[in-house]
Amino acid sequence: DPDFFEQALADNAVLVSQDGQAGIPKAKIVEAHRPGKNPKFTKVEVNDAQILDHGNAAVVTSRWTYENAQGRFTLKFMRDWLKKNDRWQIIGGSIANE
């Protein structure tokens, strides 16, 4: 849902891609989630989700397994969330291939 990422990602969030490159722009993430931009997933599973609560901050880790016509693959995500002005936003994170 591109609207989710538009709201949830801080404008200056630092995200690290699977190849270790930091600084994936927010606009690129929002665009990647627009309908028709990528192959449609036929199944998505979320596993091993953990939340480490730090009060006004939280670290969330999880494994996501995706299926589409090309096959099946799993990604591991870490997201750093910060509550500021009564609003939670992603301020950092990473994606890794499993």
Side-chain angles (χ1 to χ4, degrees), residues 5-21:
F5 288 101
E6 186 66 49
Q7 296 298 315
L9 278 174
D11 290 338
N12 60 350
V14 176
L15 301 171
V16 179
S17 67
Q18 293 103 309
D19 62 2
Q21 298 297 312

Side-chain angles (χ1 to χ4, degrees), residues 2 20 22-23 34 43 47 50 54-56 58 62 67-68 74-75 87 93:
R34 294 210 186 279
K43 186 175 182 181
N47 296 294
Q50 296 182 355
H54 291 279
N56 281 346
S62 58
E67 285 185 26
N68 62 23
T74 300
L75 297 173
R87 181 177 172 196

Side-chain angles (χ1 to χ4, degrees), residues 31-96:
E31 276 304 309
H33 288 85
R34 294 210 186 279
K37 293 290 182 179
N38 292 302
K40 183 177 179 178
F41 297 118
T42 55
K43 186 175 182 181
V44 177
E45 294 177 4
V46 180
N47 296 294
D48 302 329
Q50 296 182 355
I51 301 171
L52 184 56
D53 185 353
H54 291 279
N56 281 346
V59 178
V60 179
T61 58
S62 58
R63 291 175 55 240
W64 292 61
T65 301
Y66 301 90
E67 285 185 26
N68 62 23
Q70 288 75 35
R72 178 182 170 104
F73 62 96
T74 300
L75 297 173
K76 295 185 285 186
F77 290 90
M78 182 188 71
R79 295 290 182 256
D80 303 317
W81 290 79
L82 179 65
K83 186 176 184 181
K84 186 175 177 181
N85 300 324
D86 290 324
R87 181 177 172 196
W88 285 96
Q89 282 197 305
I90 299 167
I91 60 167
S94 64
I95 305 167

